[in-house]
Amino acid sequence: MTIQHLRIARPVTDLTQSSQFYCHGLGLQKIGEFTDHQGFSGVMLGAEGLAWHLEFTLCHTHPIRPSPTNDDLLVLYIPQQPDWLARCSCMEEAGFQRVSSFNPYWDQRGVTFMDRDGYRVVIQQALWPPAR
């Protein structure tokens, strides 16, 4: 079995704010959205050529407070230092907070950022897959 696409879905407290953060910070764009579909609204963010996208949802009837732990991470690998530095700068400009990683491994070659809902994103300066 081959997986063709990955969707990472997360509840958020503000769809507009989360979309703006991630579009600016990660260079994503809105690729879809829905409004009040059986009590849920959402937005999908991605980019051409990616085999994954993010979906942020908001439940209107029973709002869910996001509750990520300090080790729930979205890790993005950017091997070239100029591109990595530029992406880290975009994350800060977008409003993400730079934080120390719970797992010190991620601080060796990466920077951990946190959004207003507590979700963490690591921008790792490395090539995937890592050398063995």
Side-chain angles (χ1 to χ4, degrees):
M1 176 178 77
T2 302
I3 297 173
Q4 295 185 8
H5 195 84
L6 172 67
R7 176 187 287 188
I8 301 160
R10 295 176 165 174
V12 296
T13 55
D14 187 320
L15 287 175
T16 301
Q17 182 182 72
S18 293
S19 296
Q20 290 172 348
F21 265 45
Y22 284 82
C23 283
H24 183 77
L26 295 179
L28 301 175
Q29 54 202 313
K30 188 185 298 186
I31 60 172
E33 65 183 316
F34 56 93
T35 303
D36 201 14
H37 177 73
Q38 297 179 337
F40 288 85
S41 292
V43 62
M44 282 79 73
L45 307 176
E48 189 171 329
L50 291 181
W52 60 273
H53 72 270
L54 299 176
E55 176 187 39
F56 297 129
T57 61
L58 185 66
C59 180
H60 301 289
T61 56
H62 296 92
I64 297 173
R65 178 85 185 138
S67 58
T69 71
N70 291 342
D71 206 30
D72 288 323
L73 306 172
L74 176 65
V75 180
L76 302 173
Y77 290 81
I78 302 176
Q80 301 300 321
Q81 185 177 28
D83 298 334
W84 176 77
L85 289 170
R87 183 56 53 208
C88 289
S89 179
C90 286
M91 293 291 283
E92 289 176 328
E93 290 170 9
F96 284 86
Q97 178 185 358
R98 188 184 280 228
V99 296
S100 294
S101 182
F102 176 72
N103 180 339
Y105 170 81
W106 297 114
D107 290 333
Q108 292 175 20
R109 295 186 64 192
V111 177
T112 303
F113 296 93
M114 185 171 63
D115 71 14
R116 293 193 176 149
D117 285 320
Y119 293 114
R120 292 176 179 229
V121 178
V122 176
I123 307 299
Q124 183 78 349
Q125 188 193 347
L127 183 65
W128 179 260
R132 294 180 192 218

